[in-house]
């Protein structure tokens, strides 16, 4: 029988660092690659021969343009918040795919512009500047296409890591909406000037089907469903309570909340319909198991949006998009689990600590003892189910936990035979992944919820 630990414990000695882990592929990636192969087949079928420098340059421009157009549709689909994808793949992983795909797509767009202008210039025996002017002003739909290209470049620049660090999340998020306008402006020039579409009604029909299908999915899941659910559930703020320095819990009540079918560990995107907050939908995990017509989130002050939640008034209307995320207890590999939380990452793990079956150990890392949010609830859950909860803090230093494999094995000797649920700030989770690998935990046995969307 395990015992409950409510004290701060000294860890085992540190061990050497290990290499970082890699994210394995999955079936959605296979579908994406299959679609790219179909696009290449479309280009191949519509290209009779390639001869001379002008031909190679022009065809390079056409194939990169087709792949860029396909990439735009994929980027929108990845961020359409399709529940099946959100649960099966995970929101943070989809966001990483979206970011990587965005870099590839912008690169393809730049290559398309460069090769087309260069190829046409060689064909017409003119210079690049003159050819650029001719394409922009003389070809159909090219003024809109050029504006779309400039918007893509702008979105690409603002999405770079260095640029994102210098702006608020909400600012970046709404600048990102320029992508929709860029894709709309560029779509017409693809059909008007693309050789594969001009000569093939079937190819045009397939391209329309792709884009219209993505647009319908996007409109439903990102815009219409939140509106319908907001009216249906009539969710409103019931109370706001402090939990730790800079950390508050927001309690909300509504109607028919059982229809949401929320699983412990999942999150919503919350839109609070009050001044200064109504235009932003930010992701926060539930910090309490959904029951009795009540939902709760626990949020740490990290920006203007999270800071303003402490000032919410009872009765404020709330729209919740979700539930999202695959950070749940579904399809376990083992009958035992280890929960590893850092800071406010305790919020989804608190619900899992209460509901996961079997032997569960919770390790909670924080900066100071007073930063251990929800500690009273965690102690009560641990006592009720006979589980261990171990607290570690950076200050005082004697009670910190160096994230190394030997330290984790000292705390949880059977760690290799447990599912691990990990949630915390990026630096902490990176170190935890290395430590878990050192401790012999397989990557597929680790579930992670990232704060970096």
């Amino acid at each position: 029988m395990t015992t409950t630990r409510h004290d701060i414990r000294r860890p085992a000695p540190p061990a050497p660092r290990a290499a970082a882990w890699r994210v394995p592929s999955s079936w959605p990636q296979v579908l994406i690659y299959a679609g790219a192969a179909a696009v290449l087949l479309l280009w191949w079928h519509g290209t009779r021969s390639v001869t001379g420098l002008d031909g190679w340059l022009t065809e390079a421009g056409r194939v990169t343009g087709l792949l860029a157009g396909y990439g735009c549709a994929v980027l929108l689909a990845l961020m359409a918040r399709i529940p099946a994808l959100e649960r099966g793949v995970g929101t943070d992983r989809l966001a990483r795919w979206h970011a990587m795909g965005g870099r590839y797509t912008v690169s393809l767009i730049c290559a398309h512009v460069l090769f087309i202008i260069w190829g046409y210039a060689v064909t017409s025996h003119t210079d690049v500047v003159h050819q650029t002017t001719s394409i922009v002003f003389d070809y159909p739909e090219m003024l809109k296409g050029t504006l779309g290209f400039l918007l893509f470049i702008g979105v690409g620049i603002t999405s770079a890591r260095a640029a994102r660090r210098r702006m608020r999340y909400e600012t970046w998020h709404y600048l990102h909406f320029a992508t929709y306008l860029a894709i709309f402006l560029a779509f017409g020039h693809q059909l008007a000037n693309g050789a594969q579409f001009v000569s093939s009604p079937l190819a045009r029909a397939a391209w329309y089907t792709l884009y219209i299908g993505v647009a319908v999915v996007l409109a439903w899941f990102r815009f219409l469903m939140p509106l319908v659910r907001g009216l249906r559930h009539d969710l409103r703020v019931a109370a706001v309570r402090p939990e730790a320095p800079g950390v508050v819990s927001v309690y909300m009540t509504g109607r028919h909340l059982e229809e949401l079918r929320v699983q412990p560990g999942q999150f919503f995107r919350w839109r609070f319909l009050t001044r200064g907050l109504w235009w932003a939908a930010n992701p926060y995990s539930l910090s309490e198991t959904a029951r009795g017509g009540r939902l709760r989130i626990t949020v740490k002050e990290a920006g203007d949006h999270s800071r303003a939640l402490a000032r919410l008034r009872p009765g404020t209307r709330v729209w919740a998009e979700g539930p999202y995320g695959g950070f749940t207890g579904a399809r376990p590999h083992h009958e035992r689990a280890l929960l590893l939380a850092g800071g406010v990452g305790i919020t989804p793990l608190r619900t899992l600590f209460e509901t996961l079956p079997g032997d569960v150990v919770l390790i909670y890392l924080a900066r100071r003892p007073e930063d251990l949010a929800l500690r009273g609830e965690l102690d009560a859950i641990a006592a009720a189910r006979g589980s261990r909860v171990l607290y570690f803090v950076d200050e005082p230093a004697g009670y910190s936990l160096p994230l190394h494999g030997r330290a984790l094995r000292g705390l949880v000797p059977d760690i290799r035979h447990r599912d691990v649920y990990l949630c915390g700030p990026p630096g902490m989770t990176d170190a935890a992944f290395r430590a878990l690998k050192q401790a012999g935990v397989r990557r597929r046995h680790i579930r992670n919820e990232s704060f970096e969307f």
Side-chain angles (χ1 to χ4, degrees):
M1 179 176 178
T2 58
T3 58
T4 303
R5 293 281 305 197
H6 303 313
D7 59 325
I8 297 176
R9 182 174 173 179
R10 292 182 182 272
R17 296 173 64 136
W21 56 276
R22 290 187 178 184
V23 178
S25 61
S26 60
W27 65 264
Q29 288 177 304
V30 174
L31 293 178
I32 292 171
Y33 292 140
V39 171
L40 292 175
L41 184 62
L42 171 64
W43 168 78
W44 181 266
H45 184 267
T47 303
R48 294 186 178 181
S49 63
V50 183
T51 58
L53 177 61
D54 59 336
W56 283 104
L57 290 172
T58 301
E59 292 306 324
R62 286 171 178 166
V63 72
T64 51
L66 286 170
L67 289 172
Y70 170 72
C72 290
V74 170
L75 293 178
L76 294 180
L78 288 175
M79 289 290 99
R81 299 174 188 167
I82 302 170
L85 279 179
E86 298 279 345
R87 289 191 299 267
V89 178
T91 303
D92 55 344
R93 195 174 177 197
L94 288 174
R96 290 195 296 270
W97 290 0
H98 176 81
M100 180 179 65
R103 291 190 288 269
Y104 286 141
T105 299
V106 172
S107 298
L108 286 168
I109 291 171
C110 293
H112 164 68
V113 172
L114 173 63
F115 285 131
I116 284 292
I117 293 175
W118 191 3
Y120 282 18
V122 173
T123 301
S124 59
H125 305 287
T126 186
D127 61 89
V128 171
V129 175
H130 183 272
Q131 189 61 51
T132 301
T133 304
S134 175
I135 290 175
V136 171
F137 293 102
D138 297 339
Y139 283 65
E141 299 287 337
M142 277 310 305
L143 278 174
K144 291 194 295 184
T146 301
L147 181 56
F149 166 70
L150 295 176
L151 286 174
F152 272 119
I153 297 300
V155 171
I157 292 173
T158 58
S159 297
R161 190 179 298 272
R164 287 191 60 180
R165 290 194 185 115
R166 300 175 185 275
M167 64 178 70
R168 297 164 53 203
Y169 168 80
E170 292 82 8
T171 303
W172 169 84
H173 180 72
Y174 281 94
L175 286 175
H176 217 61
F177 275 121
T179 305
Y180 295 138
L181 178 59
I183 292 174
F184 174 78
L185 292 171
F187 181 75
H189 111 273
Q190 296 178 62
L191 297 179
N193 300 298
Q196 282 71 22
F197 301 121
V198 171
S199 60
S200 174
L202 183 61
R204 292 172 63 90
W207 214 245
Y208 269 117
T209 301
L210 172 65
Y211 271 81
I212 292 175
V214 170
V216 169
V217 169
L218 192 69
W220 173 248
F221 288 113
R222 290 207 63 168
F223 301 103
L224 295 180
M225 182 178 284
L227 175 61
V228 171
R229 284 187 170 179
L231 297 175
R232 168 71 173 168
H233 298 300
D234 191 27
L235 200 61
R236 296 178 184 272
V237 173
V240 179
R241 298 175 185 170
E243 301 287 358
V247 179
V248 298
S249 285
V250 180
Y251 294 80
M252 291 158 284
T253 57
R255 304 176 302 186
H256 315 295
L257 298 186
E258 69 282 354
E259 297 175 1
L260 296 174
R261 300 180 181 179
V262 189
Q263 298 181 56
Q266 290 188 307
F267 72 94
F268 289 79
R269 293 183 183 272
W270 305 91
R271 189 183 301 273
F272 297 92
L273 303 187
T274 187
R275 183 177 179 181
L277 294 177
W278 64 269
W279 53 277
N282 284 25
Y284 300 116
S285 299
L286 292 180
S287 62
E288 181 183 62
T289 306
R291 61 168 68 91
R294 187 177 84 172
L295 302 177
R296 185 185 76 177
I297 59 175
T298 301
V299 181
K300 180 179 177 61
E301 180 181 306
D304 293 344
H305 188 277
S306 54
R307 187 180 302 113
L309 298 188
R311 301 190 297 272
L312 285 172
R313 295 182 178 180
T316 300
R317 192 157 194 166
V318 185
W319 284 2
E321 302 174 33
Y324 296 131
F327 191 63
T328 69
R331 300 185 299 277
H333 296 284
H334 301 290
E335 295 181 354
R336 290 168 285 181
L338 167 64
L339 312 182
L340 186 52
V344 79
I346 190 62
T347 53
L349 293 182
R350 185 262 184 230
T351 62
L352 291 170
F353 190 42
E354 182 180 11
T355 58
L356 282 177
D359 178 19
V360 181
V361 176
L362 170 63
I363 298 176
Y364 185 7
L365 313 178
R367 184 179 176 185
R368 303 166 301 175
E370 57 266 32
D371 294 327
L372 294 166
L374 308 177
R375 183 172 181 177
E377 296 180 20
L378 298 173
D379 288 342
I381 293 171
R385 63 178 299 162
S387 296
R388 288 191 295 158
V389 53
L390 307 174
Y391 301 104
F392 297 92
V393 294
D394 294 334
E395 302 172 8
Y399 297 99
S400 64
L401 174 66
L403 284 172
H404 299 293
R406 188 184 305 171
L408 293 180
R409 285 195 303 269
L411 295 171
V412 189
D414 62 348
I415 190 172
R416 290 188 296 176
H417 305 292
R418 291 177 179 266
D419 289 324
V420 178
Y421 296 80
L422 171 63
C423 187
M428 173 264 179
T429 56
D430 290 344
F433 269 115
R434 291 191 293 267
L436 290 168
K437 185 175 181 180
Q438 292 172 5
V441 181
R442 296 183 180 182
R443 173 62 188 92
R444 63 190 180 94
H445 295 164
I446 304 173
R447 304 190 185 191
N448 171 229
E449 181 84 308
S450 173
F451 285 173
E452 289 192 313
F453 284 166

